[in-house]
Amino acid sequence: MSTEQFFEQVLSVRMTEDRKALDIIDQTLLPGTIRRIRLETKEAIWEAIKKLRVRGAPAIGVSAAYGMAVLAAQFTADDYGAFYKEFVALKEYFASSRPTAVNLFWALNRMDDCCRKAGEEGKSLDEIKELLFREADAICEEDVQISRSIGEIGFGLLKDLKKDGKPIGILTHCNAGTLATAKYGTATAPMYIALEHGWKGSDMHVYCDETRPLLQGARLTSFELNSAGITTTVQCDNMASLLMRSGKIDIIFVGCDRVAANGDTANKIGTSGVAILAKHYGIPFYVCAPSSTIDLKTPHGGQIPIEMREPDEVTQMWYKERMAPEGVDVFNPAFDVTDHNLITGMITEKGLCTDPYGEAFARAGIQ
Ligand code: MRU
């Protein structure tokens, strides 16, 4: 399979040709079953985001944008006031699905801005509906370009590490891959771009943290990279320390769900532990951050809302029988915050930013 065919096969989200539904790959079934499902109602789209059928910060944003466009096109209101009221209610409904990834709110706000601007300009409801489709397409297409740019910068870092005859050891956590975006992923983009530049899959050896409790690293990242022909190893999260100590890891790339103005970064639970280990072992730790994930309105990581999820994901979900006593209390945050001073650099589509991040973001034109 060519890399392009592979990207097509695992495309996280698109709009159906009839523009009446979303077409997603159900990520909860991977890697065993590759099944695309059609989401036609607001409840189905909300449930798919909540249950991680579609997941990863940029893919959630793209899904919400297409969801707004598809459903707004079916509103029956015949004046702008009634249309906009329904639009805002839908926006708030989608915004209640997951709290941490800022891309969701960013995409919803872009759709809202598009709708209001068109309303102020006196456009007809049919024109507004068409403009909403175009805005959702733009959000999706921009995400492809953003991941590509992040990949080119990350590939530059990989080139600097290339040693004769030895694969570069890369560690990643969770899935910030194709499945989490509109095409290249963010943390995986440097690897896919390396393939485009003629590198062999065996020039890199990617170690995927399994990523408890929902196993995005084992189920999704290793599936993706393995399918793309990149040498891939899966290890449990608590094995990363030994791996780093062994000298096998040259560089770490992770994604992010929300970056605060000072560079503190929320990403999948366990990421901050990886960063602390990386600092201890002197391994460069890079966050791959589309500017849509940088939230300058949140001054520091302590103010990032952290999603708490159901206890069953820890005690039961992957086991034949329950693996903790009935009734025991469970701590299940979906994300943690990595302090900015543990991050070697933040790869944005506008350039590589380093601490102090506030100044670096401003210099890169990230507002
Ligand atoms: O709970 P998830 O699977 O949506 O969490 C995803 C992550 O933490 C990713 O690393 C992040 O969204 C970046 S995706 C490019």
Side-chain angles (χ1 to χ4, degrees), residues 219-346:
R219 294 189 306 106
L220 308 178
T221 311
S222 80
F223 160 73
E224 268 192 32
L225 297 175
N226 200 43
S227 312
I230 295 171
T231 309
T232 308
T233 296
V234 177
Q235 68 286 338
C236 301
D237 302 356
N238 54 3
M239 297 167 188
S241 176
L242 184 66
L243 203 49
M244 289 191 211
R245 191 174 201 276
S246 71
K248 288 194 173 129
I249 306 299
D250 299 301
I251 191 165
I252 298 169
F253 291 123
V254 297
C256 52
D257 285 81
R258 192 185 295 229
V259 178
N262 70 344
D264 290 350
T265 294
N267 190 48
K268 179 52 56 191
I269 190 73
T271 304
S272 68
V274 174
I276 293 164
L277 288 172
K279 182 128 189 159
H280 181 74
Y281 289 113
I283 300 167
F285 176 94
Y286 288 96
V287 172
C288 299
S291 56
S292 54
T293 317
I294 299 173
D295 178 16
L296 298 179
K297 290 198 201 80
T298 299
H300 59 82
Q303 294 183 342
I304 298 176
I306 299 293
E307 176 183 9
M308 300 302 291
R309 295 187 62 89
E310 291 301 309
D312 285 4
E313 291 178 351
V314 174
T315 57
Q316 220 162 326
M317 195 161 170
W318 307 105
Y319 302 120
K320 280 207 182 108
E321 53 187 84
R322 216 185 141 80
M323 283 294 140
E326 203 71 58
V328 76
D329 189 29
V330 172
F331 181 56
N332 186 18
F335 302 97
D336 62 20
V337 175
T338 300
D339 293 331
H340 61 275
N341 57 10
L342 296 170
I343 299 168
T344 311
M346 193 100 47

Side-chain angles (χ1 to χ4, degrees), residues 41-335:
T41 63
K42 67 177 196 291
E43 291 82 8
I45 296 170
W46 189 94
E47 191 266 0
I49 295 174
K50 180 76 185 171
K51 292 274 168 69
L52 274 58
R53 295 186 201 286
V54 59
R55 44 142 305 280
I60 294 172
V62 172
S63 303
Y66 275 132
M68 293 297 295
V70 159
L71 295 171
Q74 295 165 35
F75 290 173
T76 50
D78 47 20
D79 69 87
Y80 177 75
F83 177 88
Y84 187 63
K85 203 169 158 210
E86 211 175 331
F87 187 85
V88 169
L90 181 63
K91 177 186 163 191
E92 283 167 7
Y93 178 64
F94 283 156
S96 69
S97 56
R98 296 192 74 189
T100 305
V102 77
N103 305 59
L104 171 66
F105 311 98
W106 170 86
L108 290 172
N109 286 337
R110 258 186 74 163
M111 296 302 284
D112 192 0
D113 289 347
C114 169
C115 186
R116 270 189 297 114
K117 184 165 171 280
E120 279 158 22
E121 285 169 2
K123 298 262 195 282
S124 72
L125 290 181
D126 281 346
E127 285 170 322
I128 294 177
K129 289 174 181 178
E130 194 52 41
L131 284 168
L132 289 170
F133 280 124
R134 276 195 229 158
E135 188 67 0
D137 278 338
I139 288 173
C140 183
E141 280 154 27
E142 283 167 29
D143 187 64
V144 177
Q145 291 315 318
I146 287 169
S147 299
R148 237 205 110 78
S149 304
I150 289 174
E152 292 286 357
I153 297 171
F155 175 55
L157 297 171
L158 291 182
K159 277 197 292 196
D160 291 344
L161 290 168
K162 194 139 193 221
K163 303 159 274 193
D164 280 346
K166 252 189 96 192
I168 297 171
I170 305 168
L171 185 136
T172 190
H173 190 80
C174 192
N175 174 267
T178 292
L179 289 160
T181 64
K183 189 162 179 182
Y184 297 95
T186 57
T188 55
M191 305 152 208
Y192 292 130
I193 298 294
L195 295 182
E196 283 189 13
H197 282 272
W199 282 30
K200 296 191 295 297
S202 56
D203 289 333
M204 300 163 272
H205 188 154
V206 184
Y207 292 85
C208 304
D209 275 348
E210 171 194 44
T211 318
R212 281 281 292 160
L214 294 181
L215 313 184
Q216 290 92 332
R219 294 189 306 106
L220 308 178
T221 311
S222 80
F223 160 73
E224 268 192 32
L225 297 175
N226 200 43
S227 312
I230 295 171
T231 309
T232 308
T233 296
V234 177
Q235 68 286 338
C236 301
D237 302 356
N238 54 3
M239 297 167 188
S241 176
L242 184 66
L243 203 49
M244 289 191 211
R245 191 174 201 276
S246 71
K248 288 194 173 129
I249 306 299
D250 299 301
I251 191 165
I252 298 169
F253 291 123
V254 297
C256 52
D257 285 81
R258 192 185 295 229
V259 178
N262 70 344
D264 290 350
T265 294
N267 190 48
K268 179 52 56 191
I269 190 73
T271 304
S272 68
V274 174
I276 293 164
L277 288 172
K279 182 128 189 159
H280 181 74
Y281 289 113
I283 300 167
F285 176 94
Y286 288 96
V287 172
C288 299
S291 56
S292 54
T293 317
I294 299 173
D295 178 16
L296 298 179
K297 290 198 201 80
T298 299
H300 59 82
Q303 294 183 342
I304 298 176
I306 299 293
E307 176 183 9
M308 300 302 291
R309 295 187 62 89
E310 291 301 309
D312 285 4
E313 291 178 351
V314 174
T315 57
Q316 220 162 326
M317 195 161 170
W318 307 105
Y319 302 120
K320 280 207 182 108
E321 53 187 84
R322 216 185 141 80
M323 283 294 140
E326 203 71 58
V328 76
D329 189 29
V330 172
F331 181 56
N332 186 18
F335 302 97

